[in-house]
Amino acid sequence: MAAERAHGPIGVFDSGFGGLNILAALRDLLPSEDLVYFGDSARSPYGSRPADEVVRFSLEIGRWLVDEAGSKLVVVGCNTASAVALDALRAELAVPVIGVVGAGARAARRCVGSGRVGVIGTERTIASGAYQRALADDAGVAVACPGLVEFVEAGQTTGPAVRAVIADRLAPVVDAGVEVLLLGCTHYPYLAREIQAVVGEQVTLVSPAEEAAFEVAQRLGADGLARSGAVGSLRVACSGDPVVFREIGGRLFPGELGAIEQVPVEALECRRTRSA
Ligand code: DGL
């Protein structure tokens, strides 16, 4: 059974483009694995949506990744979806599910000394309290940063306008004097230069992507699902316009995305079951 399942790809999903940073980390760490990425670009952003809606969308995509794409493991690359939908996904899907919240909190806790870990994320991620719970005793200030995702998707990752908004949103982080700042949103690593300039060099910035990829590697090894040998394939699908996905995703992903498939929202909604 494990040998059969080991042939499947690793499925990764995000509300849109941001999870491409986790896809890149997986490709670098696990070059022999086939990867399938789903970006829900027609319904992005998730960060200001109600939790039950994010759970519903996540379940639809999880089912697509497992039933249609044959994934042997699912990575929830979206912080918002990890924060609110991880338990539902684990209850529903018959494959291991790994989220970025646990990975990010673990990486941040490893970096912190006597100080605290601040976390920034979308409104829904911060309101869920998921990072704060995962950081436990190390948790410091937690701040929602609306507006930053839009800058990244517009290709604006540096400059005075971006820095002014970051300085405004991160004022409570600066006031709290955290030792480590966890970038709890897929898009924030693209703004790391400006975030670092605002919080100061003494603050260590941590992003969950690499740690999540290590967790995947460990889990595949433990379950006998790892592949070795030839370079794996990449399949990319999105719910929105594939031309727009290529345009924005191509800027964020260091490599060739290949042909981008469109899976319309209606095709995902067909995958609803009694639990959604
Ligand atoms: N991918 C989302 C996250 O990491 C950010 C974009 C959105 O709000 O959908 O929380």
Side-chain angles (χ1 to χ4, degrees), residues 146 153 184 234:
E153 294 196 359
L234 174 61

Side-chain angles (χ1 to χ4, degrees), residues 102-148:
R106 201 165 49 246
R109 296 190 81 182
R110 221 180 275 136
C111 289
V112 79
S114 56
R116 289 292 171 99
V117 180
V119 61
I120 52 175
T122 66
E123 289 161 287
R124 178 58 50 217
T125 297
I126 298 303
S128 77
Y131 267 117
Q132 297 89 317
R133 285 191 295 279
L135 288 166
D137 294 348
D138 292 321
V141 68
V143 180
C145 296
L148 300 191

Side-chain angles (χ1 to χ4, degrees), residues 14-15 44-47 78-80 122 125 149 185-187:
D14 179 55
S15 54
S44 176
Y46 282 7
C78 176
N79 292 259
T80 307
T122 66
T125 297
V149 164
C185 171
T186 46
H187 290 57

